[in-house]
Structure formats: C-alpha cells, structure tokens
Amino acid sequence: MKMDKCLIVSKATRYDYEKHSHDNISDVELERILRQRGSDYDMIMANHREQKAFEEGIAKNLKDMGIKVEMASRRTYNDELIKWCDVVVPCGGDGTFLLAASRVRDPNKPVIGLNSAPHKSVGRLCLPTWCSNDVKGALHALKEGRFRWMRRSRIRTTVTCEPKHLDTITPVDLHTLHYSRYPPVHSAEYNTDTKRPLGIDAQGDNSTLATKVLPFLALNEVFIGESVTSRVSVLRLQIDNGKWTHTKSSGLCVTTGTGSTSWHFSINCLRTHSVLELMKILAQDYNVKLDTSLEKAREVAERYNKKLMFGPESEQLAYSVREYITFEEWPAPRGLRVRDRASAVCVRSHCTDAGLVIDGSVSFPFNDGTEALLEIHPEDSLMTVQMDDALPY
C-alpha cells in the first residue's frame, strides 16, 4: 500500500459538539452550562482527552514511519485534503468512518478506520480490536501488505425537480444542524427531449425538470421520509422497471450490503419471542407438530435474520418500507413487497417536510414533486481493507 501521505479524520466528540453549539465559549462557562443541565462534564472531558490522545498516537506513529500526516475534523474535511493524501484514516467509530467515506469518490483511494474506543463500541467498519490496542503493529502490517483488499458498494443518488427548486436542495449536517459548506453538486446527463435524467421515467409529465447527482455516496443506507417522525410519509416507488406504487408509511430505507447489518437489519429482524409466539399458535391452534422451546425459536429467528444480510461488494440494493399503511388484506398489499432486493429504486415525494438522509449524517430536502433515483455503480465503490482478528506475524 502506498502510504506516503495520510489524512487522519477526527471524531467529533461531545465536547466538540457542545463547544461549537455554544459559539466556542470559554471552557469555564461551558462547564457551568453543562453541569447546570445535569450533564456529566467530567466524563465528557475524559472521553474527549482519550479521543485526542488516540489520534495523536496514530499521528506520531505515522510520522515515525516517515509518513506525512494531516488532520481534519468534521468541519475542515474537504476535497482538497482528500486529493492530497494516499490514504484516509478515520479515527473514531463507524460514524466517523461513514463521514470519511461519504466524500471519497476515487474508487482507488483507501479508507481505513481505526476504532478509538473498542472497549465501548464494536466498530464493524474499522480494523479489528487488536489494531486499536497495537497501533504501531497495525500500521506496519498495512505498510508491509499484510491485509486483504476489499471493495464496498455505495449508493449514488440522482435528484430531479423543477429548476427553480434545484438550488434549495442543500445539505444539512445532522450532527450540527447547520447548512454544510460543500462543493457544487454534479450535473447529471440530460435527455435532450424532456431534459429529464436518463434512466428516470417521465410519468406522463411533460414539464422541463432539472437534475443533479448528490455529492455524497451512501455506504450504509439512504433514508427518505418526513422529518417529523409522527407524520405519514407519502411516497411513490418504482422498483427496477416495475410499476409505480403509491405508499403511505414511516419512510423508506434503501441499503447496501454493508448497511444490511445495520438499520436495515433492525427494521426487519425477527425477535425470538415473536417467533416463539408464532410457533405456539401453529402448535396449539393448527395442530402443527413443533418444538416450541425457547432454544428452537432462537434457532429459527437466527436463520431468518441471517438471510437479511448480504455481501458488502454486492451490486444489489435492499429496500424496506417502514410500517407500510395498507387498507388491503395483509400481508399481501397490491403492487409492492414491503421488503426486497433491487437493482435500482426510484422515489417520488408527496411529502411536506421530508428529508433524504445519507448514512444518518447529511440530509437533503425532499418534498412534493422531487424525485430520486438510487442505484449502485461499480465505479462508486469504496476501497478498504480486511485484516485478521489476530496480529498477522
């Protein structure tokens, strides 16, 4: 691996968030406010110092290896720094990894995460725990090629709307609730007859619409729904080249193979007690001979849940319509499966205050008449690595 120049992407700690939210007031004043609120200020500061010490340790080890190092925070991370470096090294958990990955569009630029607190979080996207405990050994293993390359597919989002609304599709950083300063979005290819992006159906509307590709690629998932969670999300969906279906729900989650172990899994997984209750109904009310023990129910639930997950390199998407509202006979509403795999998902909004959220981090307005095409392209994949759970001597 070429590692002449490394960019460390820092985790935004609770201290960083509070400091930024209070316009960088003095630490004395911030402590007074947080203690008055009932927050554990001592723990906040201890976690912040632990995080910074971990980042500084990585930077020192890299410099000792003769590698040039730059540091970036959530607010200073930009395309210029990404272009400068050979490797992007997010230091935090999966959230920091997702932030770092979302801006890397070069499919051959590695993003390699180190979990700064393996005793507190799993960090599925990061290197194994031993790498956090032996940073020097992990960095030398990377430098010497003791790892396996892997690619993770990502979702490209192409948005279509009336030209006058195009400039309003501005990203909001959900961690700071501020409008983010990002480079201009990319214009998509136009169909010269209708000026709709190629690949999106006109649906009988002959008006001229503008389109753009959002500057973020989703490594885990894209969620679309009303910002107020108690409000019904009204969306029209087209799965691959199928018919358009009108839906009312709590929103739509479209995931990659990487994200199939995350929110997608939580939405769709069966709990052991639910399986046990179903098995007892079959045994007692339908005279089906079943082992209705807790152990068997757990086994069935695990086998079902494993089928929800698929490989991170897959070029397929999986979608889930959350809490689908239907007035037809359940569980077979007309025209659409509430959960399935797909090559492409097209969504048209009929919402009033909705967001299109990428990896739970950045939200774009997605209101009535706006359309989005979600798909995977091989050239958008993310380059990263796998290492063994034990030090590869």
Side-chain angles (χ1 to χ4, degrees):
M1 182 188 301
K2 184 181 179 183
M3 292 178 61
D4 297 336
K5 295 176 285 188
C6 286
L7 174 62
I8 296 176
V9 180
S10 172
K11 175 183 177 178
T13 65
R14 171 75 181 279
Y15 169 81
D16 291 328
Y17 171 77
E18 296 289 356
K19 190 82 169 176
H20 178 72
S21 299
H22 290 88
D23 296 323
N24 293 311
I25 60 175
S26 69
D27 284 351
V28 173
E29 184 64 14
L30 181 63
E31 178 180 0
R32 184 191 66 78
I33 292 172
L34 294 181
R35 290 192 186 280
Q36 191 175 45
R37 187 195 297 171
S39 298
D40 189 339
Y41 181 79
D42 295 328
M43 181 62 72
I44 290 172
M45 292 307 301
N47 290 339
H48 177 74
R49 294 189 189 100
E50 180 182 353
Q51 173 66 31
K52 296 309 167 186
F54 183 82
E55 293 167 7
E56 290 166 5
I58 292 174
K60 181 180 183 303
N61 276 285
L62 287 169
K63 291 176 181 177
D64 288 347
M65 294 167 64
I67 297 171
K68 295 179 182 178
V69 179
E70 290 288 344
M71 307 278 286
S73 67
R74 173 178 289 274
R75 290 186 293 276
T76 61
Y77 185 49
N78 58 45
D79 290 343
E80 184 178 345
L81 285 171
I82 295 171
K83 186 177 180 180
W84 168 83
C85 71
D86 298 316
V87 183
V88 178
V89 184
C91 296
D94 285 348
T96 309
F97 188 99
L98 290 170
L99 165 70
S102 68
R103 299 291 299 278
V104 177
R105 302 194 75 91
D106 182 349
N108 296 315
K109 180 153 297 189
V111 178
I112 302 171
L114 284 160
N115 187 356
S116 59
H119 55 291
K120 297 178 183 177
S121 64
V122 176
R124 293 180 182 275
L125 300 175
C126 300
L127 294 177
T129 298
W130 74 263
C131 296
S132 300
N133 297 327
D134 181 13
V135 172
K136 183 177 180 179
L139 294 176
H140 279 282
L142 290 170
K143 182 73 173 177
E144 295 163 8
R146 288 178 279 144
F147 61 85
R148 297 177 299 280
W149 289 111
M150 73 173 297
R151 289 193 176 275
R152 293 181 181 271
S153 295
R154 297 188 287 181
I155 302 173
R156 180 191 298 183
T157 305
T158 305
V159 173
T160 304
C161 63
E162 294 181 22
K164 64 182 181 180
H165 294 150
L166 197 64
D167 291 338
T168 68
I169 301 179
T170 305
V172 176
D173 187 332
L174 296 182
H175 291 268
T176 61
L177 296 181
H178 284 81
Y179 286 97
S180 303
R181 290 173 289 181
Y182 295 114
V185 294
H186 305 280
S187 296
E189 185 176 4
Y190 284 98
N191 181 318
T192 55
D193 294 329
T194 63
K195 290 192 177 179
R196 280 182 172 271
L198 298 178
I200 298 183
D201 293 335
Q203 302 180 49
D205 184 354
N206 294 321
S207 62
T208 299
L209 297 178
T211 183
K212 65 182 179 182
V213 178
L214 299 187
F216 294 88
L217 295 167
L219 180 59
N220 263 5
E221 75 276 312
V222 174
F223 175 77
I224 298 174
E226 288 281 4
S227 299
V228 178
T229 55
S230 59
R231 184 179 291 160
V232 174
S233 298
V234 183
L235 304 168
R236 292 186 69 206
L237 307 180
Q238 183 189 46
I239 309 303
D240 294 329
N241 293 316
K243 295 180 179 179
W244 285 86
T245 303
H246 183 84
T247 67
K248 293 183 178 180
S249 68
S250 296
L252 173 73
C253 182
V254 181
T255 187
T256 63
T258 296
S260 67
T261 63
S262 186
W263 195 1
H264 169 80
F265 185 86
S266 298
I267 292 171
N268 296 294
C269 70
L270 284 179
R271 309 295 177 181
T272 298
H273 72 272
S274 298
V275 174
L276 182 59
E277 289 178 11
L278 287 170
M279 292 171 67
K280 286 180 178 179
I281 290 173
L282 289 170
Q284 296 168 9
D285 298 350
Y286 295 91
N287 298 318
V288 178
K289 293 183 179 181
L290 288 174
D291 177 356
T292 56
S293 66
L294 182 63
E295 291 75 15
K296 180 59 68 174
R298 183 178 294 112
E299 177 187 334
V300 172
E302 288 177 355
R303 290 185 65 178
Y304 176 89
N305 293 336
K306 282 182 180 179
K307 293 183 178 181
L308 296 173
M309 299 178 283
F310 55 105
E313 74 290 341
S314 173
E315 293 184 13
Q316 278 206 311
L317 304 163
Y319 72 88
S320 304
V321 183
R322 297 176 65 211
E323 299 169 325
Y324 190 9
I325 300 171
T326 177
F327 299 104
E328 303 174 50
E329 183 179 354
W330 187 261
R334 180 178 54 203
L336 181 74
R337 298 184 66 179
V338 294
R339 174 180 68 81
D340 208 350
R341 302 276 182 90
S343 298
V345 176
C346 197
V347 189
R348 171 172 279 195
S349 174
H350 295 293
C351 299
T352 56
D353 184 23
L356 186 153
V357 183
I358 295 175
D359 284 338
S361 178
V362 177
S363 178
F364 292 83
F366 193 71
N367 295 319
D368 194 20
T370 308
E371 198 170 281
L373 175 64
L374 310 177
E375 53 191 349
I376 286 176
H377 293 262
E379 62 268 28
D380 292 337
S381 65
L382 180 74
M383 177 74 84
T384 185
V385 303
Q386 283 184 318
M387 296 181 73
D388 295 328
D389 289 334
L391 181 62
Y393 290 102

